[in-house]
C-alpha cells in the first residue's frame, strides 16, 4: 500500500514538474518546444484545457512571427535571405502537421486550419540552394584557409536545405583540402597485385605546375618535423586485364568477274584499375571521405586484309586496307598507362 501511494506521489510530482517546465518554455517564447512536448499527448486524448490553450497560443504566435519575418526578408530582395525563409516555411509546415492529428472538436476550438505551403517550400528551397551553392563555391574558389572555414557554415546550411544536393560532397572535400596546410599523399596496393616497376612512381609523378593552384603543401613521402593535417591515400583495390580479342568478319566483294575476299579485323584489350581515394583527417583521427575511382587504359585498332583481286574492292575497303595490323601492347605498358591516367585523376581531385 505504501509503495502504491509513493508511486502516485512521484507520478504527481513528475506531472507538476513537467507542467511547470512547459509553462516556463512558453513564457520564454520557446513555442516549438511547447508544441513538441504537448501536441503528442493531446493527439492521444489529453483534453486538459491549460495544455490545449498553451499549444494553441504557441502555434498561432509562432506562425505569426514566422509570417512577419518571411515578409520582411522577402521585401529586402537579398538572395542571402532565402535560406532563412525556407527554414521558417519548414517550421510552419512542421507545426501544422503536429496539430493535424488533433480531434475535429479541438481543431475547431483552437481555430486550426490546414496550411498548403508546398509551393512556397519548393520555391524557397530552390532559391536557398542556389544561393548556398554560389556562396560556397565563391569562398572555396579563393583557396584560402580562412574562406574555407567560412564556407563550412554554408555547406552545413546546404545539407539542411537539400541533403541530396550533388555539390555537398565536393564542397566538403574542397573545404577540407583548403584548410589543410600539409598534405601527405601515399599509394597502397591493398591486395598485393603484381604491378610493373615504376607503377607507384607513375601514380604519384606530379608535375609541380599541376599542384601549383593549391594553397596546400603536398608531400609524396614522409618528411621528419613536418606536421601533416591530411593523409590522402590512393588505395588500389582491383586490377582487371582483359585478354586480347581479334574480332574478324569475312565477306566477298566482286566487280564483274573479279572477286576479292575481305576480312575486317578489330583488335582490343583493356586494363581497368579500381580503388578509392581516402581522405584521413589527422587532427580528427579518422577517414573523412572515401571516393571510388576507376581508370581504364584501352587498346582498340581496326585493319583490313584482302585476298584476291583488289580491283573488285570498294573505295571503303581500299581505304581501310591502309590500316595494318599492330602489335598488341603488353600488360606492363598498359598498366603504366593506366597509372598515368590515375595520376591525372588524382591531380584533378587535389586541386579542386
Amino acid at each position: 500500500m505504501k509503495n502504491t501511494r509513493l508511486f502516485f506521489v512521484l507520478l504527481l510530482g513528475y506531472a507538476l514538474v513537467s507542467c511547470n517546465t512547459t509553462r516556463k518554455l512558453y513564457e520564454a517564447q520557446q513555442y516549438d518546444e511547447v508544441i513538441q512536448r504537448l501536441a503528442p499527448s493531446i493527439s492521444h486524448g489529453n483534453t486538459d484545457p491549460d495544455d490545449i490553450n498553451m499549444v494553441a497560443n504557441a502555434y498561432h504566435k509562432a506562425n505569426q512571427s514566422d509570417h512577419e519575418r518571411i515578409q520582411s526578408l522577402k521585401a529586402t530582395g537579398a538572395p542571402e535571405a532565402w535560406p532563412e525563409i525556407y527554414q521558417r516555411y519548414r517550421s510552419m509546415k512542421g507545426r501544422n502537421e503536429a496539430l493535424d492529428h488533433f480531434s475535429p472538436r479541438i481543431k475547431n476550438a483552437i481555430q486550426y486550419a490546414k496550411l498548403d505551403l508546398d509551393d512556397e517550400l519548393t520555391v524557397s528551397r530552390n532559391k536557398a540552394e542556389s544561393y548556398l551553392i554560389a556562396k560556397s563555391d565563391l569562398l572555396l574558389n579563393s583557396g584560402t584557409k580562412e574562406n574555407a572555414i567560412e564556407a563550412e557554415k554554408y555547406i552545413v546550411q546546404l545539407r539542411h536545405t537539400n541533403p541530396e544536393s550533388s555539390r555537398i560532397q565536393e564542397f566538403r572535400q574542397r573545404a577540407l583540402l583548403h584548410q589543410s596546410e600539409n598534405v601527405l599523399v601515399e599509394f597502397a596496393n591493398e591486395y598485393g597485385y603484381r604491378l610493373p616497376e615504376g607503377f607507384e612512381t607513375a601514380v604519384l609523378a606530379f608535375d609541380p605546375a599541376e599542384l601549383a593552384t593549391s594553397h596546400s603543401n603536398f608531400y609524396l613521402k614522409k618528411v621528419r618535423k613536418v606536421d601533416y593535417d591530411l593523409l590522402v591515400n590512393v588505395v588500389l583495390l582491383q586490377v582487371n586485364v582483359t585478354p586480347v580479342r581479334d574480332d574478324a568478319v569475312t565477306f566477298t566483294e566482286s566487280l564483274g568477274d573479279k572477286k576479292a575476299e575481305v576480312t575486317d579485323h578489330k583488335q582490343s584489350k583493356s586494363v581497368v584499375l579500381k580503388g578509392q581515394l581516402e581522405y584521413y583527417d589527422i587532427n580528427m583521427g579518422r577517414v573523412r571521405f572515401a571516393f571510388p575511382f576507376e581508370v581504364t587504359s584501352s587498346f582498340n585498332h581496326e585493319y583490313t586484309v584482302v585476298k584476291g583481286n583488289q580491283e573488285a574492292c570498294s573505295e571503303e575497303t581500299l581505304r581501310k586496307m591502309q590500316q595494318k595490323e599492330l602489335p598488341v601492347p603488353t600488360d606492363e605498358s598498359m598498366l603504366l598507362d593506366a597509372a598515368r591516367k590515375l595520376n591525372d585523376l588524382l591531380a584533378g581531385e587535389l586541386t579542386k
Side-chain angles (χ1 to χ4, degrees):
M1 187 66 176
K2 289 182 179 179
N3 289 338
T4 302
R5 288 178 179 173
L6 178 60
F7 171 77
F8 282 113
V9 168
L10 292 174
L11 184 62
L12 178 61
Y14 172 79
L16 290 173
V17 170
S18 178
C19 180
N20 188 45
T21 301
T22 306
R23 173 61 63 179
K24 287 182 178 179
L25 288 172
Y26 178 81
E27 292 172 352
Q29 298 183 14
Q30 300 297 315
Y31 298 133
D32 284 326
E33 292 192 43
V34 172
I35 292 171
Q36 289 174 12
R37 279 173 172 264
L38 296 180
S41 65
I42 295 174
S43 297
H44 288 90
N46 172 16
T47 57
D48 182 279
D50 289 339
D51 287 350
I52 294 172
N53 286 335
M54 206 182 313
V55 166
N57 290 333
Y59 174 76
H60 290 299
K61 288 183 177 182
N63 277 355
Q64 181 63 28
S65 176
D66 279 343
H67 176 72
E68 292 175 355
R69 178 61 177 166
I70 287 170
Q71 297 309 308
S72 174
L73 289 169
K74 285 183 176 180
T76 67
E80 60 266 27
W82 286 106
E84 183 180 345
I85 292 172
Y86 172 65
Q87 293 302 329
R88 287 184 177 271
Y89 273 131
R90 281 189 63 187
S91 296
M92 292 176 71
K93 184 177 178 66
R95 292 183 209 110
N96 200 244
E97 291 177 345
L99 273 61
D100 192 44
H101 299 290
F102 288 4
S103 68
R105 180 182 64 82
I106 293 178
K107 286 181 181 179
N108 185 60
I110 66 175
Q111 297 182 331
Y112 167 87
K114 191 171 183 63
L115 300 177
D116 183 5
L117 299 172
D118 290 345
D119 289 344
E120 287 84 354
L121 280 165
T122 299
V123 170
S124 59
R125 185 185 70 175
N126 290 342
K127 291 186 176 182
E129 182 178 3
S130 296
Y131 166 73
L132 293 169
I133 287 175
K135 185 67 175 181
S136 300
D137 209 22
L138 180 65
L139 288 168
L140 292 172
N141 282 340
S142 74
T144 67
K145 182 176 182 179
E146 294 73 20
N147 282 347
I149 294 173
E150 178 74 9
E152 292 272 16
K153 297 187 298 184
Y154 295 95
I155 298 168
V156 169
Q157 289 186 61
L158 179 59
R159 293 173 67 186
H160 290 159
T161 300
N162 182 12
E164 304 300 321
S165 174
S166 61
R167 303 295 301 275
I168 292 174
Q169 283 292 81
E170 173 204 337
F171 286 154
R172 294 179 66 203
Q173 175 196 4
R174 288 169 63 188
L176 177 61
L177 278 168
H178 295 180
Q179 291 177 61
S180 301
E181 183 175 349
N182 297 311
V183 181
L184 177 62
V185 185
E186 294 186 326
F187 172 78
N189 184 3
E190 190 76 2
Y191 294 104
Y193 288 101
R194 185 178 177 182
L195 300 172
E197 184 177 351
F199 183 92
E200 181 176 343
T201 300
V203 171
L204 301 179
F206 297 106
D207 184 324
E210 287 184 291
L211 304 181
T213 58
S214 174
H215 288 258
S216 301
N217 300 311
F218 290 97
Y219 297 83
L220 305 180
K221 63 171 106 176
K222 289 184 179 179
V223 178
R224 290 184 179 181
K225 298 182 180 180
V226 173
D227 293 326
Y228 298 103
D229 308 292
L230 181 66
L231 168 62
V232 178
N233 204 13
V234 187
V235 184
L236 182 64
L237 298 175
Q238 189 175 343
V239 177
N240 293 322
V241 180
T242 66
V244 180
R245 290 188 57 175
D246 187 351
D247 298 319
V249 177
T250 301
F251 54 94
T252 300
E253 290 189 348
S254 61
L255 180 63
D257 59 352
K258 301 171 184 177
K259 292 185 179 182
E261 182 183 86
V262 181
T263 303
D264 287 338
H265 291 266
K266 182 176 181 180
Q267 298 172 288
S268 63
K269 179 181 177 180
S270 66
V271 168
V272 180
L273 307 179
K274 294 182 180 181
Q276 63 183 22
L277 303 180
E278 296 178 347
Y279 291 72
Y280 184 88
D281 189 331
I282 294 174
N283 296 319
M284 297 183 68
R286 65 181 179 87
V287 174
R288 290 277 300 277
F289 310 106
F291 300 104
F293 69 76
E294 179 176 327
V295 294
T296 302
S297 175
S298 299
F299 170 75
N300 294 286
H301 178 66
E302 296 181 3
Y303 68 97
T304 296
V305 175
V306 175
K307 293 180 181 180
N309 194 329
Q310 295 185 8
E311 293 181 4
C313 296
S314 65
E315 291 185 8
E316 176 68 11
T317 297
L318 293 173
R319 183 187 63 78
K320 291 164 66 175
M321 282 178 59
Q322 304 306 310
Q323 297 294 329
K324 305 300 181 182
E325 182 179 4
L326 294 178
V328 178
T330 64
D331 292 356
E332 290 76 12
S333 65
M334 293 190 71
L335 280 166
L336 288 172
D337 181 61
R340 288 187 285 270
K341 290 184 176 181
L342 178 54
N343 171 264
D344 291 339
L345 181 150
L346 183 57
E349 289 294 316
L350 296 178
T351 55
K352 280 186 174 180

